[in-house]
Amino acid sequence: MAKVSKSPWVLHYDGASCNGCDIEVLACLTPMYDAERFGVINTGDPKHADIFLVTGGINEQCKDVVKQLYEQMPNPKVVVAVGICACTGGVFKETYNILGGVDTVIPVDVYVPGCAARPESIIDGIVKGIAVLDQKREAMKQGKLPELNVEDISEDGKEQASANEAQNAEAETTANAGEESK
Amino acid sequence: MTFFSWPLAIGYLILAPFIGGFFDGLDRKISARMQGRTGPSVFQSFYDVSKLLQKESKMVNHLQQFLVCGFLVFVVFTGVLFFAGADLLMIFFALTLAGIFYVLQASSANAPFSALAVQRELMQMMAYEPMVLLTAVGFYVVTGSFAVREISLADRSAICLMPGFFLGFIFIMIIKLRKSPFDVSTGHHAHQEVVQGLNSDLSGPVMALVEVSHWYENVFLYGVIGLFILNNQLWSVPVALVVCFLVFFLEILIDNVCARVKWQLMFRSTWIFTIIAGVINLLVLILFHLGVK
Ligand code: SF4
């Protein structure tokens, strides 16, 4: 099983960040830090990703996007919140449009603090995420998915079919839920 | 003597994924070194595929799965025919058919990024197909046969009379190996524009099938490169292997040097190059009555 965790593909999404953390995330891929030596690929495609790297807080506009990206990722998957904004809302916490950290919309597995989070700690966060990924994979093999559905977290929890099926329909439900709450 | 026979074809069937996967990893390692990075392990491609096999599969529709299997089957069919020494024209048509399956797979997803990728992939196919067909014709003019088996039994290496075809084929290999242009490419690099190209809507085990198909395809393509060198002498075999390796290195170098090529440039340059290298070479062969009648 050790081999499996050697291939974490990352999806990077920029919520309401100041772009400080995003620059650090990209710095992880440069020759200086070279996250690819751990097999990390910055895919840009949720359907290929194992690790969802979110930077910045969540606001009304990006809330649905984050949910949809999370839904589109196949199991097992891990969410890493990068930067203090993604963890709690950070300096933007008190502003009128910020809902808070990433965990207000989707379940977060690893929190990477810092403003901006340093590349070293981001890589550490990814490595921690890989460990969680392994646990989830084992759980998935035994037939139980430890995943929380996003609806369990969002305020207006709607009735939801199996998370593994009809993901498009599901994304729509999520989007509608978002509109209603506006 | 020729090695193109059924035992070799069976060897291809079994070993090509390992060879292709290893060279895919080596490719990423060398690319990383060229960029001053450490790069992943040379076995990275195998780790990736074994991970994909364990992921959940989120299918957009069931047709897609069928079409991806069609892609794999026809790529393997192409390679097996080639290494069994069959007819080169049939081999290239089988390869095109495999390509069509791959395109259909993405168009069946009915998603914006896939649709865009389909358009660009078709554009790519239009760009490289003339050179592929010319290569088959060139082999015929030079050796008097379309059969891979007989081409490899010629008295002298085909490359002596068809250097233009050889260069042209190297040129289209850049596209076939999915190295360049960056806005169509589905390679493992950060420099892609269309999310993941034709693979955008694939996930898990189905995506793994696509990866394995590419390994089969790549081994076949280097086989064609080798065919330019092979003749009825035994020494041509190691020479062919060395040339394949040099071309492998050259392709990586081109990929890293021309990271920002867009599809418009690819389209124009491929056709111009096809005309300069392929057509002129063919005219010379015909006008001066070189090669076997
Ligand atoms: S944590 Fe700091 S650097 Fe990162 S997005 Fe927030 S404010 Fe910007």
Side-chain angles (χ1 to χ4, degrees), chain B residues 156-173:
Chain B
R156 76 190 142 173
S157 302
I159 194 175
C160 301
L161 287 179
M162 43 196 299
F165 290 96
F166 183 68
L167 293 178
F169 201 80
I170 290 181
F171 199 91
I172 60 156
M173 284 262 289

PDB file of all heavy atoms in Angstrom, chain B residues 156-173:
ATOM      1  N   ARG B 156      19.582  -2.336 -47.172  1.00  0.00           N
ATOM      2  CA  ARG B 156      20.158  -1.231 -46.399  1.00  0.00           C
ATOM      3  C   ARG B 156      19.027  -0.514 -45.654  1.00  0.00           C
ATOM      4  O   ARG B 156      17.863  -0.593 -46.061  1.00  0.00           O
ATOM      5  CB  ARG B 156      20.953  -0.300 -47.296  1.00  0.00           C
ATOM      6  CG  ARG B 156      20.154   0.617 -48.141  1.00  0.00           C
ATOM      7  CD  ARG B 156      20.973   1.323 -49.150  1.00  0.00           C
ATOM      8  NE  ARG B 156      20.176   1.405 -50.367  1.00  0.00           N
ATOM      9  CZ  ARG B 156      20.515   2.068 -51.435  1.00  0.00           C
ATOM     10  NH1 ARG B 156      21.661   2.680 -51.484  1.00  0.00           N
ATOM     11  NH2 ARG B 156      19.727   2.117 -52.472  1.00  0.00           N
ATOM     12  N   SER B 157      19.439   0.177 -44.623  1.00  0.00           N
ATOM     13  CA  SER B 157      18.443   0.814 -43.757  1.00  0.00           C
ATOM     14  C   SER B 157      17.622   1.825 -44.552  1.00  0.00           C
ATOM     15  O   SER B 157      18.165   2.537 -45.394  1.00  0.00           O
ATOM     16  CB  SER B 157      19.140   1.529 -42.612  1.00  0.00           C
ATOM     17  OG  SER B 157      19.921   0.609 -41.894  1.00  0.00           O
ATOM     18  N   ALA B 158      16.334   1.866 -44.262  1.00  0.00           N
ATOM     19  CA  ALA B 158      15.445   2.766 -44.987  1.00  0.00           C
ATOM     20  C   ALA B 158      15.866   4.223 -44.810  1.00  0.00           C
ATOM     21  O   ALA B 158      15.681   5.040 -45.706  1.00  0.00           O
ATOM     22  CB  ALA B 158      14.013   2.574 -44.506  1.00  0.00           C
ATOM     23  N   ILE B 159      16.479   4.536 -43.694  1.00  0.00           N
ATOM     24  CA  ILE B 159      16.817   5.935 -43.412  1.00  0.00           C
ATOM     25  C   ILE B 159      17.812   6.507 -44.423  1.00  0.00           C
ATOM     26  O   ILE B 159      17.823   7.707 -44.681  1.00  0.00           O
ATOM     27  CB  ILE B 159      17.360   6.092 -41.967  1.00  0.00           C
ATOM     28  CG1 ILE B 159      17.377   7.560 -41.566  1.00  0.00           C
ATOM     29  CG2 ILE B 159      18.709   5.454 -41.818  1.00  0.00           C
ATOM     30  CD1 ILE B 159      17.763   7.806 -40.149  1.00  0.00           C
ATOM     31  N   CYS B 160      18.604   5.634 -45.060  1.00  0.00           N
ATOM     32  CA  CYS B 160      19.581   6.126 -46.049  1.00  0.00           C
ATOM     33  C   CYS B 160      18.868   6.862 -47.177  1.00  0.00           C
ATOM     34  O   CYS B 160      19.377   7.865 -47.679  1.00  0.00           O
ATOM     35  CB  CYS B 160      20.369   4.969 -46.641  1.00  0.00           C
ATOM     36  SG  CYS B 160      21.247   4.021 -45.419  1.00  0.00           S
ATOM     37  N   LEU B 161      17.707   6.350 -47.580  1.00  0.00           N
ATOM     38  CA  LEU B 161      17.000   6.977 -48.689  1.00  0.00           C
ATOM     39  C   LEU B 161      15.864   7.880 -48.215  1.00  0.00           C
ATOM     40  O   LEU B 161      15.305   8.624 -49.001  1.00  0.00           O
ATOM     41  CB  LEU B 161      16.425   5.903 -49.616  1.00  0.00           C
ATOM     42  CG  LEU B 161      17.455   5.167 -50.467  1.00  0.00           C
ATOM     43  CD1 LEU B 161      16.791   4.123 -51.324  1.00  0.00           C
ATOM     44  CD2 LEU B 161      18.232   6.153 -51.335  1.00  0.00           C
ATOM     45  N   MET B 162      15.484   7.781 -46.965  1.00  0.00           N
ATOM     46  CA  MET B 162      14.350   8.612 -46.521  1.00  0.00           C
ATOM     47  C   MET B 162      14.658   9.398 -45.243  1.00  0.00           C
ATOM     48  O   MET B 162      13.889   9.332 -44.285  1.00  0.00           O
ATOM     49  CB  MET B 162      13.072   7.778 -46.386  1.00  0.00           C
ATOM     50  CG  MET B 162      13.234   6.427 -45.739  1.00  0.00           C
ATOM     51  SD  MET B 162      11.832   5.326 -46.001  1.00  0.00           S
ATOM     52  CE  MET B 162      10.485   6.183 -45.257  1.00  0.00           C
ATOM     53  N   PRO B 163      15.745  10.179 -45.264  1.00  0.00           N
ATOM     54  CA  PRO B 163      16.031  10.983 -44.065  1.00  0.00           C
ATOM     55  C   PRO B 163      14.942  12.020 -43.802  1.00  0.00           C
ATOM     56  O   PRO B 163      14.638  12.326 -42.647  1.00  0.00           O
ATOM     57  CB  PRO B 163      17.364  11.659 -44.395  1.00  0.00           C
ATOM     58  CG  PRO B 163      17.448  11.639 -45.875  1.00  0.00           C
ATOM     59  CD  PRO B 163      16.734  10.410 -46.327  1.00  0.00           C
ATOM     60  N   GLY B 164      14.351  12.545 -44.879  1.00  0.00           N
ATOM     61  CA  GLY B 164      13.298  13.547 -44.720  1.00  0.00           C
ATOM     62  C   GLY B 164      12.103  12.964 -43.989  1.00  0.00           C
ATOM     63  O   GLY B 164      11.538  13.595 -43.081  1.00  0.00           O
ATOM     64  N   PHE B 165      11.726  11.744 -44.362  1.00  0.00           N
ATOM     65  CA  PHE B 165      10.606  11.080 -43.696  1.00  0.00           C
ATOM     66  C   PHE B 165      10.918  10.871 -42.221  1.00  0.00           C
ATOM     67  O   PHE B 165      10.057  11.017 -41.353  1.00  0.00           O
ATOM     68  CB  PHE B 165      10.339   9.714 -44.338  1.00  0.00           C
ATOM     69  CG  PHE B 165       9.782   9.793 -45.717  1.00  0.00           C
ATOM     70  CD1 PHE B 165      10.610   9.706 -46.823  1.00  0.00           C
ATOM     71  CD2 PHE B 165       8.430   9.964 -45.911  1.00  0.00           C
ATOM     72  CE1 PHE B 165      10.101   9.778 -48.097  1.00  0.00           C
ATOM     73  CE2 PHE B 165       7.913  10.037 -47.195  1.00  0.00           C
ATOM     74  CZ  PHE B 165       8.741   9.947 -48.285  1.00  0.00           C
ATOM     75  N   PHE B 166      12.172  10.516 -41.965  1.00  0.00           N
ATOM     76  CA  PHE B 166      12.584  10.253 -40.584  1.00  0.00           C
ATOM     77  C   PHE B 166      12.418  11.512 -39.733  1.00  0.00           C
ATOM     78  O   PHE B 166      11.809  11.477 -38.659  1.00  0.00           O
ATOM     79  CB  PHE B 166      14.032   9.778 -40.585  1.00  0.00           C
ATOM     80  CG  PHE B 166      14.560   9.404 -39.228  1.00  0.00           C
ATOM     81  CD1 PHE B 166      14.079   8.294 -38.561  1.00  0.00           C
ATOM     82  CD2 PHE B 166      15.537  10.169 -38.602  1.00  0.00           C
ATOM     83  CE1 PHE B 166      14.556   7.948 -37.311  1.00  0.00           C
ATOM     84  CE2 PHE B 166      16.020   9.834 -37.357  1.00  0.00           C
ATOM     85  CZ  PHE B 166      15.525   8.719 -36.712  1.00  0.00           C
ATOM     86  N   LEU B 167      12.922  12.634 -40.278  1.00  0.00           N
ATOM     87  CA  LEU B 167      12.800  13.891 -39.533  1.00  0.00           C
ATOM     88  C   LEU B 167      11.331  14.263 -39.369  1.00  0.00           C
ATOM     89  O   LEU B 167      10.901  14.703 -38.292  1.00  0.00           O
ATOM     90  CB  LEU B 167      13.552  15.010 -40.257  1.00  0.00           C
ATOM     91  CG  LEU B 167      15.072  14.839 -40.282  1.00  0.00           C
ATOM     92  CD1 LEU B 167      15.716  15.975 -41.055  1.00  0.00           C
ATOM     93  CD2 LEU B 167      15.620  14.793 -38.863  1.00  0.00           C
ATOM     94  N   GLY B 168      10.564  14.082 -40.441  1.00  0.00           N
ATOM     95  CA  GLY B 168       9.130  14.391 -40.363  1.00  0.00           C
ATOM     96  C   GLY B 168       8.443  13.560 -39.312  1.00  0.00           C
ATOM     97  O   GLY B 168       7.599  14.049 -38.552  1.00  0.00           O
ATOM     98  N   PHE B 169       8.816  12.293 -39.237  1.00  0.00           N
ATOM     99  CA  PHE B 169       8.167  11.422 -38.250  1.00  0.00           C
ATOM    100  C   PHE B 169       8.549  11.827 -36.830  1.00  0.00           C
ATOM    101  O   PHE B 169       7.706  11.823 -35.931  1.00  0.00           O
ATOM    102  CB  PHE B 169       8.533   9.957 -38.512  1.00  0.00           C
ATOM    103  CG  PHE B 169       7.556   8.999 -37.890  1.00  0.00           C
ATOM    104  CD1 PHE B 169       6.352   8.733 -38.514  1.00  0.00           C
ATOM    105  CD2 PHE B 169       7.809   8.406 -36.661  1.00  0.00           C
ATOM    106  CE1 PHE B 169       5.424   7.873 -37.934  1.00  0.00           C
ATOM    107  CE2 PHE B 169       6.880   7.550 -36.082  1.00  0.00           C
ATOM    108  CZ  PHE B 169       5.694   7.286 -36.724  1.00  0.00           C
ATOM    109  N   ILE B 170       9.805  12.223 -36.653  1.00  0.00           N
ATOM    110  CA  ILE B 170      10.214  12.716 -35.324  1.00  0.00           C
ATOM    111  C   ILE B 170       9.377  13.935 -34.957  1.00  0.00           C
ATOM    112  O   ILE B 170       8.941  14.098 -33.827  1.00  0.00           O
ATOM    113  CB  ILE B 170      11.718  13.069 -35.317  1.00  0.00           C
ATOM    114  CG1 ILE B 170      12.539  11.803 -35.414  1.00  0.00           C
ATOM    115  CG2 ILE B 170      12.077  13.838 -34.060  1.00  0.00           C
ATOM    116  CD1 ILE B 170      14.018  12.042 -35.384  1.00  0.00           C
ATOM    117  N   PHE B 171       9.128  14.774 -35.971  1.00  0.00           N
ATOM    118  CA  PHE B 171       8.357  15.996 -35.738  1.00  0.00           C
ATOM    119  C   PHE B 171       6.946  15.674 -35.260  1.00  0.00           C
ATOM    120  O   PHE B 171       6.462  16.255 -34.289  1.00  0.00           O
ATOM    121  CB  PHE B 171       8.302  16.808 -37.037  1.00  0.00           C
ATOM    122  CG  PHE B 171       7.938  18.247 -36.833  1.00  0.00           C
ATOM    123  CD1 PHE B 171       8.919  19.191 -36.634  1.00  0.00           C
ATOM    124  CD2 PHE B 171       6.616  18.656 -36.836  1.00  0.00           C
ATOM    125  CE1 PHE B 171       8.593  20.520 -36.432  1.00  0.00           C
ATOM    126  CE2 PHE B 171       6.280  19.978 -36.632  1.00  0.00           C
ATOM    127  CZ  PHE B 171       7.277  20.914 -36.439  1.00  0.00           C
ATOM    128  N   ILE B 172       6.290  14.722 -35.920  1.00  0.00           N
ATOM    129  CA  ILE B 172       4.918  14.436 -35.487  1.00  0.00           C
ATOM    130  C   ILE B 172       4.895  13.595 -34.206  1.00  0.00           C
ATOM    131  O   ILE B 172       3.890  13.575 -33.502  1.00  0.00           O
ATOM    132  CB  ILE B 172       4.083  13.736 -36.577  1.00  0.00           C
ATOM    133  CG1 ILE B 172       4.712  12.421 -36.973  1.00  0.00           C
ATOM    134  CG2 ILE B 172       3.858  14.641 -37.763  1.00  0.00           C
ATOM    135  CD1 ILE B 172       3.717  11.468 -37.559  1.00  0.00           C
ATOM    136  N   MET B 173       6.019  12.964 -33.893  1.00  0.00           N
ATOM    137  CA  MET B 173       6.085  12.227 -32.618  1.00  0.00           C
ATOM    138  C   MET B 173       5.882  13.172 -31.427  1.00  0.00           C
ATOM    139  O   MET B 173       5.370  12.776 -30.393  1.00  0.00           O
ATOM    140  CB  MET B 173       7.443  11.543 -32.463  1.00  0.00           C
ATOM    141  CG  MET B 173       7.612  10.309 -33.303  1.00  0.00           C
ATOM    142  SD  MET B 173       7.308   8.805 -32.419  1.00  0.00           S
ATOM    143  CE  MET B 173       8.717   8.712 -31.333  1.00  0.00           C
TER     144      MET B 173
END
